[in-house]
Amino acid sequence: MRSRGRKESLAESRDLDGSYDQLTDSVEDEFELSTVCHRPEGLEQLQEQTKFSRKELQVLYRGFKNECPTGLVNEENFKQIYSQFFPQGDSGTYAAFLFNAFDTDHDGSISFEDFVAGLSVILRGTIDDRLSWAFNLYDLNKDGCITKEEMLDIMKSIYDMMGKYTYPAMQEEAPREHVENFFQKMDRNKDGVVTIEEFIESCQKDENIMRSMQLFDNVI
Amino acid sequence: MAAGVAAWLPFARAAAIGWMPVANCPMPLAPTEKNKRQDELIILNVSGRRFQTWRTTLERYPDTLLGSTEKEFFFNEDTKEYFFDRDPEVFRCILNFYRTGKLHYPRYECISAYDEELAFYGILPEIIGDCCYEEYKDRKRENAERLMDDNDSENNQEGSMPSLNLRQTMWRAFENPHTSTLALVFYYVTGFFIAVSVITNVVETVPCGTVPGNKELPCGERYAVAFFCLDTACVMIFTVEYLMRLFAAPSRYRFMRSVMSIIDVVAIMPYYIGLVMTNNEDVSGAFVTLRVFRVFRIFKFSRHSQGLRILGYTLKSCASELGFLLFSLTMAIIIFATVMFYAEKGSSASKFTSIPASFWYTIVTMTTLGYGDMVPKTIAGKIFGSICSLSGVLVIALPVPVIVSNFSRIYHQNQRADKRRAQKKARLARIRVAKTGSSSAYLHSKRNGLLNAALELTGSSDDEQHISKSTSLIESQHHHLLHCLEKTTNHEFIDEQLFEQNCMDNSMQNYPSTRSPSLSSNNGGSTSCCSRRNKTTTHLPNSNVPATRLRSMQELSTIHIQCSEQPSLTTSRSSLNMKSDDGLRPNCKTSHLTTAIISIPTPPALTPEGESRPPPSSPHPTMNISTTCSNVVKVSAL
């Protein structure tokens, strides 16, 4: 793939031309990255791979490229963009989880293909697709099951986004309680972990969740 | 939320999928897009340069002109684009703001033009990005200072300052000696006496001649009386000046706190204290000290010299640099004095008896004075002494350029202010000339209009070329507007010289007592004109006659209408009344015309109001008026 080849050559070029300054490597890093430009595959291919129409893809790409002129989003950028929507709380942790969920090939940056692939599942996929995407988000180590610790991390990150100024005031125990609640609902065989089948099954039985999944039909 | 990020809102909403399964309660309904139209390109035509952008780009900022429905006012139906008759260069920056969310300020752009454009498009200047914000603020501050300077100099300008009471006049005279001759005289006299006082102080101490007894006496003691008289005179003048300033000051408290007033007080106090104190032995020492303060009179010169003031201001503004200089010097002095003391301790008959005694050596060496009254004798002392002198040069040389550059900046600023004032004066003079040109254009065109109307009436087609078509549509509309105003207020515009002339003439005439009602309004008008209460001219409803008419009316207690030398006399209103049939205009090319009884032109528009305000030149049946007008005068129905 063109994109992967570019990312590999980036690492090489950094070592080769010696402009990698150890002292100020952050600045140099960005400088290097900005000279690399990633171009997505053609519009037709993306149309085949995702369920978006041509016009939708155009609109999405324009927005994407506007914020990330290089065509690649790294984690820092991603967190910064996401934080602009949640001015009150700290959305960094949740954004990190999202980043991992979007970055399917785990190369440290999200290209437009990754972006659009994720969005396609969430916005145009079936309910089951969406639920498995959500499961993938929760499963931090991608081992096929959600443990209580993983769920606690996710829950804490969601509660962090609320920030300090909430009504009623945020309690320390709130995430943990919420996790307990979740596991009671989802964990059928009470083995302390939630597998994907349990997850989808339990969600399908829950009216609220089903209804809320349909919210995503009209986002774009 | 930044603009570009708005495009990522769908993504943020999609990312909320992570919350759904863990939520315990149902989610609220999503807002529906009512008219979900496809994003379209809109064309913005700014003075011919076409910019195109997506509609949603502009809608990112709904509280600006382009983002709201306000832009519909500029929509051109024929070309299906939005047309703005504004500067395309600045528009580039503004459109980039919508696109990128950052507003930049280009350096080549004039700050006030830029501000105006921002105000037009409804964008607050505070959102200028950090990259350009400093530059913008600096330029804005400079502009504000310039405006303030201009305002100040305007307020200080002479002329048209009505009703200044004595206090304010005095204060202005003190602050700006150039406002009147008296102020200038005062300025020079005080300057002279300051100089005299300072010179007296100096000469007092010069030894002049011997007294029998072979003792050299300073002049002060030899001619004690003369010097005392001189001193008294100077102090008198200074006291009077101070009291006058105190009286005239707009805010006495603030004046008393100001530096100049403190200098004044310090300059004259020693004299009074000396008067009060007797020749007591105990206090004579203190008395002598007080005399030292008389030297502060020299600071009074700073009122007379701008350079001194700038110097003082510079020192004040460089206080921190001076403080640093002092501090670093003190540090170095103490260090080196200590070192020198201990180095020279060994040598016999050393002058470096203590560390404070070494201070003197250190200061003299660091400032490269090198009196030579104290020199180190040991080798160690010499080494440290040379280090001391080398470092002295450095320590002093460092803050001095900062102070110098400050002084230079303030000095040049002052020069610039003066230059700007001079340029502004010249510019305003030129503008005034242009303006008087345009106002006389109005009067001129009025007369031309009358001529045209008369010509058309008389039907002489060969005079058509006199009809000046040189007035544009806008001009004629403007003139029409002024006409309407004249009609509304029953007064007419005339130009300044005629008005003054009119007033002068009227003041010299004896007004005929207002026997005839026809003259009453005239008189009323003329008296009022001379009392300066209303500057409008008297109302002659019949014609745009310059004030020479009024004079003739006063002379003869008959009704005379005298033409001026200008060719056209007919009322400009007649041009308005072209539709109405019987505007009578004496179209007179001669210089002297007295109207016929019935032939006074009266615009029909006046007749409804004619009852209340009979035209002054309305024919009085008993008066015998003859017309010597060469042209045909039409009869009006009065």
Side-chain angles (χ1 to χ4, degrees):
Chain A
M1 301 272 254
R2 218 185 313 156
S3 54
R4 195 170 285 139
R6 292 256 172 123
K7 285 180 207 165
E8 279 168 355
S9 64
L10 163 65
E12 282 174 5
S13 67
R14 234 202 278 161
D15 294 335
L16 275 180
D17 72 20
S19 64
Y20 185 64
D21 187 348
Q22 306 279 5
L23 271 178
T24 60
D25 59 352
S26 56
V27 174
E28 288 294 327
D29 247 337
E30 280 175 36
F31 190 64
E32 284 292 335
L33 202 59
S34 64
T35 59
V36 169
C37 201
H38 170 80
R39 268 181 211 100
E41 305 166 7
L43 207 47
E44 290 78 14
Q45 281 170 292
L46 280 177
Q47 263 185 290
E48 285 169 30
Q49 287 168 7
T50 67
K51 302 204 184 78
F52 288 119
S53 75
R54 195 182 177 86
K55 266 213 157 37
E56 289 166 345
L57 281 173
Q58 283 176 338
V59 170
L60 279 174
Y61 187 66
R62 283 206 297 267
F64 182 84
K65 181 102 179 164
N66 214 6
E67 208 51 32
C68 323
T70 59
L72 290 172
V73 198
N74 60 5
E75 193 161 338
E76 268 313 304
N77 266 356
F78 192 84
K79 280 187 181 166
Q80 197 197 359
I81 294 171
Y82 198 66
S83 68
Q84 305 213 14
F85 295 101
F86 302 98
Q88 269 200 311
D90 171 28
S91 56
T93 335
Y94 189 68
F97 297 145
L98 278 178
F99 186 83
N100 285 332
F102 270 93
D103 185 15
T104 41
D105 46 6
H106 302 291
D107 54 5
S109 60
I110 299 181
S111 64
F112 184 63
E113 288 94 331
D114 300 334
F115 181 70
V116 136
L119 280 187
S120 167
V121 172
I122 300 174
L123 300 180
R124 296 274 186 271
T126 64
I127 302 270
D128 283 353
D129 287 340
R130 292 175 187 172
L131 288 174
S132 18
W133 201 92
F135 183 85
N136 192 34
L137 172 68
Y138 297 148
D139 185 11
L140 298 179
N141 55 2
K142 313 289 179 233
D143 61 355
C145 45
I146 309 177
T147 63
K148 273 205 181 155
E149 287 72 26
E150 288 174 338
M151 204 58 224
L152 189 58
D153 286 338
I154 300 265
M155 202 62 75
K156 277 208 191 123
S157 70
I158 296 180
Y159 274 81
D160 279 343
M161 277 199 284
M162 289 295 295
K164 208 169 55 164
Y165 305 106
T166 57
Y167 177 78
M170 194 68 72
Q171 308 290 335
E172 274 290 321
E173 285 306 306
R176 195 172 290 277
E177 282 175 17
H178 206 140
V179 170
E180 293 299 324
N181 216 346
F182 177 78
F183 265 76
Q184 259 190 351
K185 207 170 32 165
M186 299 283 164
D187 192 3
R188 295 282 143 177
N189 54 3
K190 305 289 175 221
D191 57 354
V193 293
V194 178
T195 63
I196 187 162
E197 295 83 16
E198 288 176 336
F199 181 72
I200 293 186
E201 210 184 307
S202 318
C203 287
Q204 279 172 340
K205 294 216 183 74
D206 190 335
E207 273 245 0
N208 281 340
I209 297 181
M210 284 290 118
R211 214 175 311 131
S212 57
M213 282 293 150
Q214 285 165 358
L215 273 180
F216 295 101
D217 291 334
N218 294 326
V219 169
I220 286 194
Chain B
M1 206 172 66
V5 189
W8 280 58
L9 188 57
F11 158 73
R13 296 178 72 195
I17 196 172
W19 314 338
M20 302 300 159
V22 298
N24 292 330
C25 18
M27 292 288 137
L29 289 174
T32 52
E33 292 181 45
K34 277 163 210 110
N35 41 353
K36 188 176 174 169
R37 48 183 180 182
Q38 290 288 358
D39 204 1
E40 43 162 351
L41 273 180
I42 64 175
I43 305 177
L44 302 161
N45 184 348
V46 183
S47 302
R49 206 190 294 184
R50 280 184 177 72
F51 298 86
Q52 289 183 321
T53 182
W54 298 107
R55 185 176 286 276
T56 48
T57 310
L58 292 183
E59 285 169 0
R60 285 179 189 159
Y61 295 100
D63 54 351
T64 59
L65 184 149
L66 291 173
S68 63
T69 52
E70 193 181 344
K71 63 177 183 285
E72 303 301 326
F73 285 101
F74 298 93
F75 188 67
N76 187 348
E77 295 293 342
D78 309 322
T79 53
K80 292 275 181 278
E81 58 189 21
Y82 293 88
F83 182 73
F84 297 95
D85 203 7
R86 311 286 300 191
D87 187 1
E89 299 288 331
V90 180
F91 190 78
R92 208 174 49 83
C93 302
I94 293 185
L95 197 53
N96 278 337
F97 164 62
Y98 285 91
R99 291 175 180 145
T100 63
K102 286 201 258 256
L103 180 62
H104 295 283
Y105 169 60
R107 272 154 213 256
Y108 56 81
E109 200 65 53
C110 166
I111 183 77
S112 36
Y114 189 74
D115 269 343
E116 274 175 27
E117 294 294 314
L118 283 188
F120 178 81
Y121 291 106
I123 298 176
L124 292 176
E126 273 68 33
I127 52 179
I128 291 183
D130 282 337
C131 41
C132 301
Y133 194 63
E134 194 183 321
E135 170 85 13
Y136 173 79
K137 272 297 180 198
D138 283 344
R139 299 270 293 263
K140 192 144 185 190
R141 197 172 24 90
E142 277 174 29
N143 199 39
E145 282 173 8
R146 180 185 62 83
L147 283 175
M148 229 167 40
D149 267 349
D150 286 349
N151 277 344
D152 281 345
S153 60
E154 242 177 54
N155 292 340
N156 290 342
Q157 258 172 24
E158 11 181 335
S160 76
M161 283 280 253
S163 68
L164 273 186
N165 59 17
L166 177 65
R167 249 181 94 173
Q168 285 169 332
T169 339
M170 278 175 70
W171 183 249
R172 250 190 54 211
F174 284 140
E175 294 298 302
N176 305 345
H178 306 285
T179 48
S180 70
T181 353
L182 195 59
L184 210 55
V185 163
F186 182 78
Y187 177 77
Y188 283 124
V189 161
T190 44
F192 172 70
F193 272 99
I194 297 175
V196 161
S197 166
V198 168
I199 293 177
T200 343
N201 284 349
V202 167
V203 167
E204 244 177 19
T205 58
V206 171
C208 54
T210 56
V211 167
N214 286 343
K215 203 163 87 122
E216 276 252 340
L217 267 187
C219 286
E221 291 180 23
R222 192 155 166 197
Y223 304 102
V225 177
F227 278 104
F228 181 72
C229 289
L230 217 48
D231 203 23
T232 314
C234 293
V235 171
M236 283 296 118
I237 304 265
F238 296 153
T239 318
V240 164
E241 181 209 351
Y242 180 71
L243 290 175
M244 274 171 40
R245 274 182 206 264
L246 191 62
F247 167 69
S251 156
R252 299 227 169 94
Y253 178 61
R254 207 160 57 100
F255 171 73
M256 287 180 69
R257 279 193 322 176
S258 71
V259 175
M260 290 311 303
S261 110
I262 292 179
I263 291 177
D264 288 340
V265 168
V266 166
I268 60 181
M269 274 326 249
Y271 177 80
Y272 288 111
I273 297 182
L275 275 186
V276 167
M277 279 196 313
T278 59
N279 222 349
N280 208 343
E281 288 294 319
D282 303 334
V283 299
S284 66
F287 179 62
V288 166
T289 324
L290 272 178
R291 290 175 82 98
V292 168
F293 282 100
R294 290 188 305 172
V295 82
F296 277 90
R297 287 178 196 165
I298 204 170
F299 283 116
K300 287 167 68 76
F301 266 129
S302 57
R303 273 215 183 90
H304 297 250
S305 154
Q306 203 188 23
L308 263 183
R309 276 205 296 272
I310 295 178
L311 190 60
Y313 183 65
T314 312
L315 289 176
K316 195 166 63 155
S317 68
C318 302
S320 62
E321 278 84 26
L322 285 174
F324 167 68
L325 176 62
L326 210 57
F327 177 68
S328 57
L329 268 180
T330 314
M331 254 178 43
I333 287 172
I334 294 179
I335 292 176
F336 279 109
T338 315
V339 166
M340 290 306 295
F341 171 70
Y342 284 110
E344 284 289 301
K345 207 161 172 197
S347 87
S348 55
S350 148
K351 290 236 172 78
F352 294 80
T353 52
S354 66
I355 294 187
S358 313
F359 281 169
W360 174 246
Y361 168 75
T362 323
I363 293 176
V364 165
T365 314
M366 282 187 90
T367 52
T368 69
L369 277 176
Y371 287 137
D373 53 351
M374 283 165 84
V375 285
K377 293 197 172 50
T378 61
I379 296 189
K382 285 186 180 160
I383 292 175
F384 288 119
S386 39
I387 298 177
C388 174
S389 60
L390 286 175
S391 65
V393 171
L394 277 178
V395 168
I396 290 181
L398 282 176
V400 167
V402 176
I403 299 174
V404 166
S405 79
N406 259 353
F407 179 80
S408 155
R409 177 178 59 84
I410 296 171
Y411 183 71
H412 283 305
Q413 235 173 36
N414 251 306
Q415 298 291 79
R416 262 209 312 271
D418 289 338
K419 187 165 75 163
R420 232 200 335 257
R421 266 193 284 271
Q423 283 172 349
K424 187 175 183 187
K425 266 199 183 139
R427 188 165 55 93
L428 287 178
R430 264 182 287 135
I431 290 176
R432 242 198 312 272
V433 167
K435 252 201 214 157
T436 51
S438 79
S439 64
S440 57
Y442 168 59
L443 301 168
H444 191 63
S445 82
K446 252 210 310 202
R447 291 190 275 271
N448 281 345
L450 304 181
L451 173 60
N452 296 342
L455 285 176
E456 282 171 47
L457 265 189
T458 58
S460 48
S461 56
D462 48 342
D463 282 333
E464 294 262 333
Q465 57 253 34
H466 291 301
I467 297 177
S468 54
K469 296 263 192 269
S470 58
T471 55
S472 64
L473 177 64
I474 286 189
E475 251 186 82
S476 49
Q477 286 175 341
H478 184 217
H479 295 334
H480 171 242
L481 183 67
L482 296 173
H483 281 327
C484 294
L485 181 61
E486 285 180 337
K487 252 184 31 175
T488 314
T489 58
N490 273 329
H491 288 80
E492 277 187 20
F493 293 112
I494 55 170
D495 54 2
E496 213 174 320
Q497 302 99 293
L498 290 171
F499 178 70
E500 312 252 331
Q501 198 182 6
N502 189 24
C503 278
M504 255 181 0
D505 295 338
N506 287 335
S507 62
M508 291 202 266
Q509 306 293 335
N510 290 328
Y511 305 136
S513 47
T514 58
R515 323 280 100 72
S516 56
S518 52
L519 284 176
S520 58
S521 57
N522 216 359
N523 281 347
S526 47
T527 47
S528 66
C529 96
C530 279
S531 68
R532 275 190 164 223
R533 240 171 263 115
N534 63 338
K535 300 209 168 162
T536 56
T537 70
T538 53
H539 170 62
L540 293 172
N542 306 349
S543 55
N544 171 27
V545 175
T548 48
R549 278 205 184 180
L550 295 172
R551 173 180 55 200
S552 53
M553 283 192 184
Q554 306 303 323
E555 273 172 352
L556 332 156
S557 57
T558 57
I559 300 167
H560 275 233
I561 299 178
Q562 192 169 26
C563 297
S564 64
E565 276 63 41
Q566 286 86 359
S568 65
L569 259 198
T570 52
T571 61
S572 52
R573 269 175 239 91
S574 57
S575 59
L576 299 175
N577 302 328
M578 282 313 290
K579 309 292 185 326
S580 46
D581 38 281
D582 49 359
L584 172 63
R585 310 139 198 103
N587 187 7
C588 157
K589 290 199 174 65
T590 63
S591 56
H592 203 82
L593 161 77
T594 52
T595 58
I597 292 178
I598 311 182
S599 63
I600 309 300
T602 309
L606 266 184
T607 46
E609 55 207 38
E611 322 309 324
S612 47
R613 265 191 310 265
S617 45
S618 65
H620 207 284
T622 61
M623 305 246 183
N624 194 8
I625 313 164
S626 60
T627 159
T628 58
C629 181
S630 54
N631 284 356
V632 173
V633 171
K634 288 206 177 160
V635 178
S636 78
L638 287 177

